[in-house]
Amino acid sequence: MANSRYIAIEGPIGVGKTSLARRLAAAMSAELLLEEPETNPFLERFYREPDRVALPTQLFFLFQRVQQIEQLRQADIFSDTRISDYLMDKDRLFAEINLGQNELSLYDKVAESLAFSPPVPDLVVYLQAPVDTLLFRISRRGIDAERRIGRRYLERLAEGYARFFHDYAAAPLLIVNAAVIDPVHND
């Protein structure tokens, strides 16, 4: 990891991506690139009414991530080490899980029109944990909107991530069983 310039941490909601990214960035004196779900004006409503606001929720995240990555490119992504709590490819993964076929088609057209080519990380760390662990951690962190996340949704996310990373070959991949490793509460 010491030679990596861009490390992306991935995994389902509640697995500890942001906490691990923060710890690694501090340990490596790296720049931190974090998702900003709290700025998505649709997210809280998405957890209440996923079918009604899935598309605007997903498009907001797409534009947010593209903008963040573009700002990194302009600052020369290779000048410093950067740690991110997401992989750009996750956006399409969530779109597949959250959108109906027509909405997914529209999402794909919008994403293609951006003509965006994100940088490939030097390392991807995929954190995985059982759904019960995810539910416990989500409950423990106490974010109101996330309390509406159901078991079935987390199961679909975990399955989607497992399928995605089963064939992932774009960058070196480190798979970590985060069931007993809790970046928030363990040293």
Side-chain angles (χ1 to χ4, degrees):
M1 265 200 285
N3 295 327
S4 298
R5 304 301 258 158
Y6 175 33
I7 300 170
I9 314 293
E10 254 311 340
I13 299 165
V15 77
K17 297 179 298 288
T18 302
S19 296
L20 180 59
R22 287 182 193 280
R23 291 179 106 170
L24 284 176
M28 298 174 70
S29 298
E31 184 175 338
L32 193 56
L33 177 64
L34 299 177
E35 284 188 303
E36 299 173 351
E38 67 281 354
T39 65
N40 189 327
F42 305 101
L43 189 58
E44 186 174 342
R45 209 168 127 213
F46 169 76
Y47 289 133
R48 285 192 318 257
E49 311 170 82
D51 293 337
R52 296 188 72 176
V53 292
L55 183 59
T57 302
Q58 200 60 52
L59 288 174
F60 185 92
F61 277 129
L62 173 65
F63 291 128
Q64 180 186 67
R65 291 174 183 137
V66 166
Q67 182 179 25
Q68 283 183 321
I69 298 290
E70 281 301 319
Q71 287 172 348
L72 278 182
R73 278 188 188 279
Q74 292 172 5
D76 185 8
I77 190 165
F78 299 107
S79 65
D80 294 315
T81 300
R82 293 189 171 81
I83 311 286
S84 173
D85 69 348
Y86 68 90
L87 180 64
M88 191 64 200
D89 296 342
K90 82 156 342 142
D91 206 76
R92 180 64 164 72
L93 171 70
F94 272 74
E96 288 175 6
I97 290 169
N98 293 321
L99 303 177
Q101 192 58 43
N102 290 335
E103 289 177 325
L104 184 59
S105 177
L106 177 59
Y107 168 89
D108 285 338
K109 288 177 184 173
V110 170
E112 286 172 23
S113 75
L114 296 175
F116 176 71
S117 179
V120 176
D122 296 305
L123 176 67
V124 175
V125 179
Y126 166 41
L127 302 177
Q128 54 182 199
V131 171
D132 287 335
T133 301
L134 302 175
L135 285 166
F136 173 75
R137 290 179 183 170
I138 290 168
S139 172
R140 182 173 55 188
R141 70 182 172 195
I143 297 173
D144 262 352
E146 290 183 348
R147 292 176 193 235
R148 293 180 181 90
I149 297 174
R151 169 178 286 282
R152 182 64 194 130
Y153 182 68
L154 285 175
E155 288 171 348
R156 289 174 44 220
L157 279 180
E159 290 166 10
Y161 272 106
R163 277 191 314 274
F164 176 79
F165 282 115
H166 182 267
D167 296 320
Y168 185 78
L173 177 65
L174 174 63
I175 300 173
V176 177
N177 180 347
V180 293
I181 299 170
D182 183 352
V184 176
H185 294 94
N186 293 350
D187 289 333

